[in-house]
Amino acid sequence: MNAAQWKWGRSVCRSAPVSYIEEFSVQVMVRVSRVIPGSIAEELGLLAGTELRAVNGREIADFLDWEFLTADEELTIEVRLPDGEDVVFDVEWEPGEPFGLELEPPNIRRCANRCEFCFIEGLPKGLRKQLYVRDDDYRLSFAYGNFATLSNVKERDIARILEYRLSPLYVSVHATPWEVRKVLLNNPRVPNIVEQLTRLAAGGIQVHAQMVVVPGLNDGAVLEQSLTDLWNLGDAVLSTALVPVGLTQFSHLYSGESMGVENARRVLASVERWEARALAERGDRWVYGSDELYLLAQRALPDAAHYGEFAQIENGVGAITALRTRVLGGVGDLPRLDGKRIGVVTGMAMAPMMPELLDRISVQTGAMFELIPLENTLFGPTITTAGLLTGADIRRGLADRHDLDLALIPAETINDHGVFLDDESFIAVRESLPIPVYPSYDFLDALIPEGVPAARSAA
Ligand code: SF4
């Protein structure tokens, strides 16, 4: 995992939803967390806390079993109610009709690797313990698009992936040469990824692949070999993202080179060679550089057409272009906010991209925008992602800004519980500041008037 992938509020090893991980359960059983009123589940008398034990004689080990084994029209469901009573239901229903159950979060499969570049290894000490959970879970890869290395996948897991047709999966390949991959993942027991992917491909499973590129380890000839191996898997590999290694000041394991301008340009040159081949031979680009790679190489980001369906946007591939497209497309809906002074907090990486958007919004609204780029005090200056700014950073950046009417901060900085990465609550930070502060993903969400508090206070 690297900084681009570890998006606060969204994900781990590409992106496990952090809020989801924070709630992860340590139990193996599958339990109901909520029964939807008026549903079949309620009719049966199921309650929150009910344990789902088997469907049609097959044991329920996790949410995937429940999802797939209940696809039949006739079900025999064995449950244990919260009071300990075991009950068997025979149910006839229309598959596809909602059963009306929400399940407790599963126990997350932990990562057995210890990559030098792992962003979690680069977290400062003292954060809440859930933030240090390293997931490597093919089930979350299928369900949420988290990247998994498949290092901890056993024979029975492969059988499940094939039986349930868990496709597409998101796979952290990093390198295909086996010995190099062992070094990159810092795990001598990693399976041969080419053999794994070949087997999955034979069973009709497709993957989106990613490689975190570490200069000196998996760039150059290793990168070429890896792209060749992935290409040779044909349609089984839907896309491949190349992401530069990202380090914090606490990345104590890392012994490689950093990804400077020249290294980033060399990696982008590989991207361009391979995308030319892919466009000619299969009609899509297939290989993509992450936004961070373009920024490091000091190259302009491609336009929206380049990214097709934005298959790896959650991996930081095309995210900036998508934001730009969304803002420019919706700016005409913004109201007049003449004379208002609006601060826009961002990270150092996004700062150069912002003036173009803010100028356009300013023309439309008449408001004056001031960009407030902040350094990350928790991770150090090498981490420039806006979404990883902390409550303390926001407080510091806005503490004396009595001159502004309001400020927008990146909504990604706050998790589902309203808490920043450094455990500061949004409400506490907001109340400590002299101006109204609003989280925003794309300005439009905060400044388009209907029911939006930021727009009301700006108007
Ligand atoms: S150790 Fe490697 S595989 Fe495991 S979470 Fe970190 S980056 Fe991902």
Side-chain angles (χ1 to χ4, degrees):
M1 170 182 323
N2 72 14
Q5 300 158 322
W6 200 82
K7 290 178 189 156
W8 172 240
R10 295 187 78 93
S11 41
V12 181
C13 206
R14 141 177 144 142
S15 343
V18 172
S19 55
Y20 191 65
I21 295 257
E22 288 191 61
E23 289 163 6
F24 76 97
S25 156
V26 290
Q27 55 219 346
V28 190
M29 67 191 63
V30 178
R31 258 206 307 240
V32 174
S33 63
R34 180 168 171 253
V35 176
I36 312 294
S39 65
I40 300 172
E42 189 187 51
E43 253 180 66
L44 293 175
L46 302 187
L47 302 165
T50 299
E51 190 186 327
L52 304 172
R53 298 173 70 86
V55 172
N56 292 344
R58 286 185 62 177
E59 190 187 339
I60 302 288
D62 62 19
F63 66 96
L64 283 181
D65 288 329
W66 175 254
E67 194 68 32
F68 285 90
L69 296 177
T70 53
D72 289 343
E73 286 174 18
E74 294 183 9
L75 306 175
T76 300
I77 302 174
E78 298 169 44
V79 306
R80 179 167 292 168
L81 296 173
D83 63 4
E85 183 189 359
D86 288 331
V87 184
V88 179
F89 298 104
D90 288 315
V91 180
E92 280 188 27
W93 73 316
E94 284 288 321
E97 190 187 338
F99 203 84
L101 287 182
E102 289 177 10
L103 305 182
E104 290 184 356
N107 58 324
I108 303 291
R109 286 208 183 181
R110 306 299 183 98
C111 177
N113 309 312
R114 202 152 181 253
C115 307
E116 286 194 5
F117 53 81
C118 181
F119 193 70
I120 290 180
E121 291 289 347
L123 290 177
K125 292 193 182 358
L127 302 177
R128 60 183 173 280
K129 69 177 190 308
Q130 292 91 339
L131 296 177
Y132 299 96
V133 173
R134 293 179 300 147
D135 75 295
D136 193 4
D137 195 324
Y138 70 91
R139 302 168 309 165
L140 301 185
S141 175
F142 171 70
Y144 297 103
N146 296 357
F147 274 95
T149 64
L150 306 184
S151 304
N152 53 6
V153 163
K154 304 280 186 287
E155 194 52 38
R156 64 177 177 278
D157 300 314
I158 296 279
R160 279 184 106 203
I161 293 171
L162 295 173
E163 180 191 352
Y164 292 161
R165 300 192 71 79
L166 303 183
S167 179
L169 293 175
Y170 291 78
V171 179
S172 285
V173 171
H174 301 326
T176 57
W178 197 0
E179 292 308 314
V180 177
R181 195 163 189 261
K182 289 178 188 173
V183 172
L184 274 163
L185 270 59
N186 212 354
N187 179 359
R189 290 188 299 280
V190 295
N192 183 325
I193 190 69
V194 177
E195 287 177 10
Q196 285 182 306
L197 293 179
T198 302
R199 200 164 157 208
L200 293 175
I205 306 300
Q206 295 181 297
V207 302
H208 291 283
Q210 73 151 343
M211 294 177 62
V212 172
V213 182
V214 180
L217 273 184
N218 63 344
D219 55 353
V222 175
L223 178 59
E224 281 304 302
Q225 182 61 52
S226 301
L227 291 173
T228 302
D229 289 338
L230 293 173
W231 178 260
N232 288 341
L233 287 162
D235 290 347
V237 178
L238 293 166
S239 70
T240 303
L242 303 188
V243 179
V245 65
L247 305 168
T248 78
Q249 61 185 345
F250 305 100
S251 298
H252 59 105
L253 291 177
Y254 192 72
S255 56
E257 297 170 42
S258 63
M259 180 68 77
V261 180
E262 292 311 318
N263 280 330
R265 287 183 177 166
R266 274 192 283 274
V267 177
L268 265 188
S270 294
V271 169
E272 284 162 0
R273 270 199 311 279
W274 275 94
E275 71 181 12
R277 176 179 177 180
L279 276 170
E281 293 184 29
R282 57 185 271 177
D284 68 30
R285 284 193 154 75
W286 183 72
V287 64
Y288 298 90
S290 72
D291 295 355
E292 203 182 346
L293 192 60
Y294 283 91
L295 298 181
L296 282 167
Q298 298 173 357
R299 293 272 303 277
L301 286 155
D303 61 18
H306 177 97
Y307 295 102
E309 304 205 335
F310 288 85
Q312 296 217 28
I313 190 168
E314 294 292 330
N315 199 13
V317 177
I320 296 175
T321 296
L323 170 71
R324 185 174 175 277
T325 305
R326 202 161 66 242
V327 172
L328 295 180
V331 73
D333 296 330
L334 290 172
R336 295 300 300 175
L337 300 167
D338 293 287
K340 295 295 174 189
R341 293 154 303 165
I342 300 175
V344 174
V345 170
T346 189
M348 303 305 282
M350 279 296 285
M353 259 73 64
M354 288 293 196
E356 178 207 2
L357 295 180
L358 296 181
D359 287 352
R360 180 70 190 83
I361 297 172
S362 186
V363 168
Q364 171 70 23
T365 61
M368 290 170 287
F369 288 88
E370 182 186 334
L371 192 59
I372 305 174
L374 297 178
E375 276 200 358
N376 193 308
T377 52
L378 184 63
F379 296 114
T382 55
I383 296 303
T384 55
T385 311
L388 294 176
L389 289 171
T390 64
D393 295 328
I394 307 278
R395 218 189 266 277
R396 176 175 52 84
L398 297 175
D400 300 322
R401 300 310 307 266
H402 302 267
D403 55 321
L404 297 171
D405 292 302
L406 66 99
L408 305 180
I409 64 169
E412 298 89 345
T413 53
I414 304 163
N415 74 1
D416 292 346
H417 304 292
V419 178
F420 291 97
L421 192 53
D422 57 355
D423 265 353
E424 288 257 32
S425 87
F426 169 65
I427 291 174
V429 170
R430 186 181 63 190
E431 286 177 353
S432 72
L433 295 171
I435 49 168
V437 173
Y438 300 95
S440 171
Y441 287 104
D442 60 9
F443 314 120
L444 308 177
D445 54 1
L447 297 177
I448 286 178
E450 291 83 37
V452 179
R456 285 204 297 274
S457 73

